[in-house]
Amino acid sequence: MSGDTTNSSETAYEKRQSNLQSNFQGTAKVALRHLQFTESGQNPELHLDPKNIARLVQVFSIEGCHRLDPANHVPALISENVLSRCLQKNSLSKANLLLQKRTPPDLKLDDDIVLSCLHGRHRIAAAQEVLLPIEKWWTVDLYSDSLDLGAQDDIREEYSNARNFCDGDIFRYLRYGQIRQDDCEERRWLARLTECKRKDLKQLQRRAELKSVNDALDKLLPFVGLWPALRIGTNDIDAKLVKEQMYKNNLFSKISDAVTRSQILQNLLETSSLIPSLSTFFEDTKWLEPVAKIIRKLLPTNCKRSNRLAMFQSYAGLNYRTGMIRIKEPGGWRTESGEEAYYMDCAYRQLCMFAWRHFPELIGVAPRKDKGTAKPQVQQINSHSWRRLGVLAKDLGFDSSEITSFANSNPDLLMAHTFLFQARPPEFYKQMKEHWRNPVNQICGILARIKELEDYSHGGDTKG
């Protein structure tokens, strides 16, 4: 009985394929304005996805539309009468459309003619945004409108099941393109990543200290099955993955006792530390980036060293006492025993901790959004925080012209001038700067009489 069912299914499929072939009219270049997408309950493209369109716009902008690639053709229905008139108008024959040429002929249609497309609405919407007016055409595979509904559904299903490449596949093909020095291939695969992931990948490949990681990844390129596990960017499914691997007996496979395995799983899920992976590595780089930018501003603009080495180079040891380490705490400093090398390392860490606590007001970067909360707003740069950072760096023994500039800055003076310019903008009021000295000094005097909290009076609230 099952054999009859199988044969019946194969026969139905063969009939649809035969119907497809007999109704195929050829391929042509058609202006985008003639392409429309009829709504169908079975069409996976019923609703346009703005994110998908934005992704395709980015891809098309970087690597081009590849409209002549057969994989990118859009299938459309056309009546015999319309096709006949169009061929006559363009001095073409059906044979011209059926020729398997790299560049199909142009098929110019009357203004009132529209072709019903079976899929491709996202790429056409993206093309409308990217292409110049004189370039707004697409390669269309033409089918007679007598094509049966089953065959039409086959075409739609084929498109909806088209492969979505995972990060690992993209990285693998990208590396092959780089190894072959094929710039076009490299750009083609790079364009499939989001801007954030492209940035993460660039950091991974360009940092000399990560060469061993890149070499190890290159050795794994021949093993296709490994790459779906690679994720570039954030990974928040570790717990789900651990459970899945435990249930499939892929983890601790030699332990068969159900109670013991359940206890091991519970212990794994309660582990507070991160499971190291490339995904967590990339996530850490996002976390470190604001701090790195802040510390960089304490160094000369032409500095080529890493932040850590450059700050160690600028360490002058001005406040170090032999065998004693000074650690900033609320209300003052505390000391403990330690060598100067350890002190220098602790001092650098304290600067980083200050930068982490205050990065929104130091470089105008909003914290990342927590799930279920409103998106944080970008704060204005706070010159007082920069002065405190400069003072803290001085107190910890670091010295550079940039650090001195921040430590000796007068935020009150800057804020007073800013206030007057904003309250009386020069495009609307006469600027008499000679009359500003007294008001500026008065504002600064008022601010000076408001005493700073003890915790902040010597650089910041940073603890060791």
Side-chain angles (χ1 to χ4, degrees), residues 109-155:
L109 308 179
D110 293 334
D111 291 339
D112 60 338
I113 293 177
V114 291
L115 304 182
S116 177
C117 301
L118 299 179
H119 73 65
R121 65 165 49 188
H122 287 90
R123 69 185 65 174
I124 298 303
Q128 290 279 17
E129 294 188 29
V130 172
L131 296 175
L132 297 174
I134 61 173
E135 285 291 314
K136 288 192 174 182
W137 58 265
W138 205 267
T139 309
V140 177
D141 287 337
L142 299 167
Y143 291 89
S144 170
D145 60 359
S146 61
L147 183 69
D148 69 44
L149 295 178
Q152 293 182 31
D153 289 339
D154 283 344
I155 293 177

Side-chain angles (χ1 to χ4, degrees), residues 43-195:
N43 191 340
E45 294 183 305
L46 178 57
H47 302 293
L48 280 172
D49 181 358
K51 291 184 177 179
N52 192 25
I53 294 175
R55 179 186 67 83
L56 288 172
V57 166
Q58 186 180 61
V59 170
F60 291 171
S61 300
I62 294 174
E63 64 167 86
C65 297
H66 296 291
R67 292 170 286 180
L68 298 177
D69 187 334
N72 294 330
H73 291 185
V74 168
L77 303 177
I78 188 170
S79 70
E80 293 285 349
N81 290 335
V82 170
L83 178 60
S84 179
R85 293 202 312 269
C86 292
L87 290 174
Q88 185 175 5
K89 177 181 177 179
N90 290 271
S91 300
L92 295 171
S93 67
K94 189 178 292 187
N96 296 128
L97 303 185
L98 292 170
L99 290 176
Q100 298 297 316
K101 288 185 175 182
R102 170 64 179 166
T103 304
D106 289 302
L107 191 62
K108 299 187 185 302
L109 308 179
D110 293 334
D111 291 339
D112 60 338
I113 293 177
V114 291
L115 304 182
S116 177
C117 301
L118 299 179
H119 73 65
R121 65 165 49 188
H122 287 90
R123 69 185 65 174
I124 298 303
Q128 290 279 17
E129 294 188 29
V130 172
L131 296 175
L132 297 174
I134 61 173
E135 285 291 314
K136 288 192 174 182
W137 58 265
W138 205 267
T139 309
V140 177
D141 287 337
L142 299 167
Y143 291 89
S144 170
D145 60 359
S146 61
L147 183 69
D148 69 44
L149 295 178
Q152 293 182 31
D153 289 339
D154 283 344
I155 293 177
R156 293 191 181 100
E157 185 177 355
E158 180 183 2
Y159 174 72
S160 65
N161 290 335
R163 183 181 181 188
N164 291 320
F165 291 95
C166 64
D167 286 355
D169 289 330
I170 294 171
F171 177 85
R172 181 169 175 267
Y173 289 121
L174 173 68
R175 280 299 297 142
Y176 275 132
Q178 290 174 336
I179 292 169
R180 291 194 298 266
Q181 296 183 337
D182 187 337
D183 292 340
C184 291
E185 185 75 0
E186 179 183 353
R187 286 197 302 271
R188 188 164 77 88
W189 289 103
L190 197 61
R192 291 178 178 268
L193 295 175
T194 63
E195 182 179 355

Side-chain angles (χ1 to χ4, degrees), residues 34 40 47 55 71 92 117 195 214 217 224 236 256 320 330 355 397 419 427 430:
H34 296 295
S40 165
H47 302 293
R55 179 186 67 83
L92 295 171
C117 301
E195 182 179 355
N214 287 299
L217 290 172
V224 180
D236 58 355
S256 57
Y320 175 72
F419 166 74
E427 60 266 32
K430 291 181 179 180

Side-chain angles (χ1 to χ4, degrees), residues 7-26:
N7 291 336
S8 176
S9 298
E10 289 177 352
T11 300
Y13 174 78
E14 290 171 356
K15 285 182 177 179
R16 289 199 298 270
Q17 290 299 306
S18 176
N19 187 257
L20 272 173
Q21 294 174 13
S22 62
N23 283 283
F24 180 62
Q25 305 296 312

Side-chain angles (χ1 to χ4, degrees), residues 6 26 34 37 73 103-104 125 128-129 189 250 273 277 310 367 394 453:
T6 302
H34 296 295
F37 295 84
H73 291 185
T103 304
Q128 290 279 17
E129 294 188 29
W189 289 103
N250 292 334
S273 59
S277 67
K394 283 279 191 181
L453 293 175

